[in-house]
């Protein structure tokens, strides 16, 4: 195990906090003003992780650090996840004059064994080397979420639809709905859900997740946060940035008009729009797969310790 000195750990923490603060600054400022943002709020509402939690630095399970890095000159904690006894959440500490803190791997694997097994199986199954990506969904999940609704029923009431409601419904009715992602499908309206080619469930998620699916790629941020403190924080932030970039295409290809927010339009109801969607989807799928492989590489050596992991 690599051990960082107190100075090295403090520098790494500061760098992480500064990067996290820069990534969440606009969201935090909008929240203070009480402003909503239909594109970026998703990263903090659909994914239940606050900017403060994202800001917490973790070196990963392969790296320890001198515990004194968590204290200021007066011996007071400088990080949020430390209790009154000076213990850091999900960490263990070696005794001695230069105590070393490291991720509590044994506790994580014992208390989160089922979740860990599910996440690693899901990540392995959805790599591009194991499953062929499908590029024929064209982001129609967002359209299926507004099918048959009346004015005021849409999830993003502050954004107008690009087409009329009737034209939006017609797109859903003439296209093939092949959404395989459970957490997108569950928001389909009652009139759209029966039009989907399948009915994804949690039990079939490992078998169904499409490596090219935008939501599968964005979910890497969710899995990375749930795998904290086993993963290093730079990887978690990389997953967050990928999710934010993916969310842009998700909404630009949606039936909503996001141009007032400074974004463009990917008109997937046209051949040109479909082609652009697939081009960008391929780029995002490649980026997601690189992140997925990095996560799996970081977890290598832990999986055999988890009941049910293969």
């Amino acid at each position: 195990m690599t051990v960082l000195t107190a100075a090295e750990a403090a520098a790494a923490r500061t760098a992480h906090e500064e990067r996290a603060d820069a990534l969440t600054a606009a969201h935090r400022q909008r929240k203070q003003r009480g402003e909503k943002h239909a594109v970026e709020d998703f990263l903090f509402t659909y994914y239940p992780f606050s900017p403060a939690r994202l800001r917490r630095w973790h070196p990963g399970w392969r790296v320890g650090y001198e515990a004194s890095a968590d204290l200021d000159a007066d011996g007071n904690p400088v990080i949020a996840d430390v209790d009154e006894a000076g213990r850091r959440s999900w960490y263990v500490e070696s005794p001695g004059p230069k105590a070393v803190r490291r991720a509590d791997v044994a506790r994580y694997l014992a208390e989160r064994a089922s979740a860990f097994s599910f996440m690693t199986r899901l990540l392995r199954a959805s790599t591009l080397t194991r499953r062929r990506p499908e590029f024929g969904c064209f982001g129609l999940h967002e359209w299926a979420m507004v099918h048959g609704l009346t004015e005021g029923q849409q999830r993003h009431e502050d954004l107008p639809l690009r087409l009329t409601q009737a034209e939006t419904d017609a797109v859903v009715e003439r296209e093939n709905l092949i959404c395989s992602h459970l957490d997108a499908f569950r928001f389909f309206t009652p009139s759209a859900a029966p039009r989907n080619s399948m009915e994804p469930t949690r039990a079939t998620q490992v078998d169904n997740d499409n490596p090219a699916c935008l939501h599968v790629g964005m979910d890497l941020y969710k899995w990375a946060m749930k795998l904290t403190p086993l993963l290093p924080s730079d990887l978690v932030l990389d997953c967050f940035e990928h999710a934010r970039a993916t969310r842009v295409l998700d909404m630009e290809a949606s039936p909503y008009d996001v141009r007032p927010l400074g974004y463009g339009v990917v008109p997937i109801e046209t051949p040109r729009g479909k082609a652009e969607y697939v081009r960008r989807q391929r780029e995002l799928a490649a980026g997601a797969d690189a992140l997925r492989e990095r996560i799996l590489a970081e977890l290598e050596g832990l999986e055999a310790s988890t009941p049910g992991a293969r």
Side-chain angles (χ1 to χ4, degrees):
M1 180 181 69
T2 301
V3 176
L4 303 179
T5 66
E8 291 171 333
R13 175 182 293 113
T14 297
H16 168 76
E17 291 174 347
E18 290 177 349
R19 182 183 172 197
D21 287 346
L23 289 171
T24 63
H27 170 77
R28 290 182 286 110
Q29 291 164 5
R30 284 192 299 269
K31 190 171 183 180
Q32 286 184 336
R33 297 192 297 265
E35 296 177 5
K36 294 182 179 181
H37 194 286
V39 177
E40 293 199 2
D41 284 354
F42 175 87
L43 299 170
F44 304 96
T45 53
Y46 177 79
Y47 297 119
F49 310 118
S50 66
R53 185 170 172 185
L54 183 63
R55 192 177 192 265
R56 292 175 190 167
W57 172 75
H58 301 279
W61 75 278
R62 300 178 190 275
V63 178
Y65 65 96
E66 292 180 1
S68 58
D70 292 341
L71 306 174
D72 63 18
D74 297 321
N76 299 312
V78 295
I79 55 177
D81 55 335
V82 173
D83 63 20
E84 294 180 356
R87 293 173 299 212
R88 189 177 185 195
S89 302
W90 293 99
Y91 279 79
V92 292
E93 186 173 314
S94 65
K98 283 195 174 183
V100 172
R101 282 184 175 157
R102 65 185 187 280
D104 192 345
V105 175
R107 178 188 167 196
Y108 188 102
L109 295 181
E111 295 186 16
R112 298 183 176 177
S114 178
F116 183 85
S117 177
F118 171 77
M119 288 186 284
T120 52
R121 287 186 292 114
L122 183 68
L123 290 166
R124 282 198 303 270
S126 54
T127 59
L128 289 176
T129 56
R130 294 200 177 200
R131 181 166 297 156
R132 194 183 82 172
E134 299 292 340
F135 294 98
C137 67
F138 305 122
L140 283 161
H141 56 278
E142 287 287 345
W143 296 69
M145 293 178 194
V146 301
H147 181 265
L149 299 184
T150 59
E151 186 176 354
Q153 291 184 313
Q154 290 89 354
R155 295 177 63 207
H156 302 295
E157 296 178 6
D158 53 329
L159 289 178
L161 296 179
R162 290 194 293 104
L163 309 178
T164 67
Q165 183 66 53
E167 291 169 334
T168 300
D169 290 349
V171 172
V172 175
E173 291 160 13
R174 74 167 181 258
E175 300 285 350
N176 293 322
L177 300 184
I178 57 170
C179 181
S180 60
H181 193 268
L182 165 65
D183 290 319
F185 174 74
R186 66 190 176 95
F187 291 106
F188 281 27
T189 64
S191 59
R195 296 178 177 276
N196 201 46
S197 63
M198 65 191 79
E199 187 173 348
T201 66
R202 190 69 66 197
T204 61
Q205 186 173 6
V206 172
D207 296 325
N208 285 340
D209 265 8
N210 171 19
C213 171
L214 299 192
H215 278 264
V216 170
M218 287 190 285
D219 278 355
L220 292 175
Y221 169 55
K222 174 172 67 175
W223 307 132
M225 286 293 281
K226 287 181 176 291
L227 286 163
T228 297
L230 303 182
L231 299 183
S233 290
D234 63 326
L235 177 51
V236 177
L237 288 185
D238 287 346
C239 290
F240 176 84
E241 287 197 86
H242 177 81
R244 187 171 66 174
T246 303
R247 177 61 174 168
V248 172
L249 176 59
D250 193 35
M251 289 301 288
E252 288 187 336
S254 78
Y256 296 102
D257 190 348
V258 293
R259 285 173 292 186
L261 296 175
Y263 300 103
V265 171
V266 180
I268 57 90
E269 69 275 17
T270 69
R272 177 183 64 81
K274 284 183 172 66
E276 182 181 352
Y277 184 89
V278 171
R279 178 186 63 78
R280 289 172 61 178
Q281 185 183 22
R282 287 184 182 277
E283 294 174 353
L284 290 167
D289 204 57
L291 290 170
R292 192 179 292 113
E293 293 286 5
R294 285 174 60 193
I295 293 172
L296 289 169
E298 288 290 344
L299 299 178
E300 189 174 352
L302 293 177
E303 299 171 74
S305 301
T306 309
R310 298 200 295 254

